[in-house]
Every structure is written in structure tokens, then in C-alpha cells.
């Protein structure tokens, strides 16, 4: 299995930027597709972005398209989520997840999850 630890959350003003990181353990990081999901208070967990094993393929939710970018550095066993032009509605706990095979937007297909990191956007 792979263990995931998110970091980089915090407080930011609307219109600002934040970079989230997800560090993975193990020697097989490059064999996993990775994803970012988020959950706001009282709302369902939703897909944000995902990336393929070698970074060539990315998927981004329509709600963040053009503002968020996902990338990975397999040499560092790390996946990133660059969040720009942040809005108060982006406030949520952001979770990193891993799966074998191709990337996707269905949370139920990701068997490995981190504990999450809080991102709060103020007006």
C-alpha cells in the first residue's frame, strides 16, 4: 500500500493562491494515478483534479478549471495542487488519493487516502 500525507493548507484572501502538496511513501509512487478531492462543511466530497502515472494525462473539475493545476514529481514522490484565483467557495478540506490504473474523478475508485489539509479562503 501507499501512505499519503497532505500539507500546504492554510488561510488565504480571495483572489490569492495556495499550493497543496501530497507526499507518498513507498518505492512504487510512479505506478499510481493520483487525485485531489475536497469536502466543505455540510457538503459531499467532490472531485477536484487527477493525474496519470507519468503526468501526461490530467483531469480537472469544471468548477476549478482554469484556476487549479495538478502536477506531480515522481522523483520526489509528491503530487501538487496549485490553486489560483481562490474563492470563498473553495474553502474545504482537501484530500489526496491514489489508485492503480488510469486517473479518474470517482472517489470510490481510489483505495488510498490521506488525512486531508484545510484550506480557508476569506472575502
Amino acid at each position: 500500500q501507499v501512505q499519503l500525507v497532505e500539507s500546504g493548507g492554510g488561510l488565504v484572501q480571495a483572489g490569492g493562491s495556495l499550493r497543496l502538496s501530497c507526499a507518498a511513501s513507498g518505492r512504487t509512487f510512479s505506478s499510481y494515478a493520483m487525485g485531489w478531492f475536497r469536502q466543505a462543511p455540510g457538503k459531499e466530497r467532490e472531485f477536484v483534479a487527477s493525474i496519470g502515472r507519468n503526468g501526461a494525462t490530467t483531469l480537472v473539475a469544471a468548477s476549478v478549471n482554469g484556476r487549479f493545476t495538478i502536477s506531480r514529481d515522481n522523483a520526489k514522490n509528491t503530487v501538487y495542487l496549485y490553486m489560483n484565483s481562490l474563492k470563498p467557495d473553495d474553502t474545504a478540506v482537501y484530500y489526496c488519493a491514489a489508485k492503480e490504473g488510469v486517473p479518474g474523478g470517482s472517489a470510490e475508485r481510489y483505495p488510498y487516502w490521506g488525512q486531508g489539509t484545510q484550506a480557508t479562503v476569506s472575502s
Side-chain angles (χ1 to χ4, degrees):
Q1 65 177 31
V2 60
Q3 294 181 327
L4 309 172
V5 180
E6 302 94 336
S7 63
L11 302 174
V12 65
Q13 296 285 323
S17 300
L18 202 61
R19 186 190 75 169
L20 306 185
S21 299
C22 175
S25 66
R27 297 182 294 274
T28 59
F29 175 72
S30 62
S31 69
Y32 295 97
M34 304 295 297
W36 285 98
F37 297 79
R38 68 185 183 185
Q39 187 167 22
K43 299 184 66 177
E44 299 290 321
R45 186 169 300 187
E46 67 173 343
F47 168 74
V48 177
S50 60
I51 189 167
R53 289 168 289 180
N54 64 0
T57 300
T58 60
L59 302 172
V60 183
S63 59
V64 303
N65 187 39
R67 300 188 298 117
F68 290 12
T69 301
I70 187 171
S71 65
R72 68 190 296 162
D73 187 339
N74 287 349
K76 296 181 178 180
N77 279 17
T78 303
V79 63
Y80 304 96
L81 184 67
Y82 294 87
M83 305 190 294
N84 302 307
S85 301
L86 285 163
K87 306 173 181 179
D89 284 349
D90 295 319
T91 296
V93 176
Y94 284 75
Y95 296 92
C96 176
K99 68 185 293 291
E100 296 180 334
V102 299
S106 298
E108 62 268 21
R109 294 186 178 272
Y110 287 79
Y112 310 109
W113 292 82
Q115 294 299 307
T117 185
Q118 175 73 45
T120 302
V121 184
S122 63
S123 301

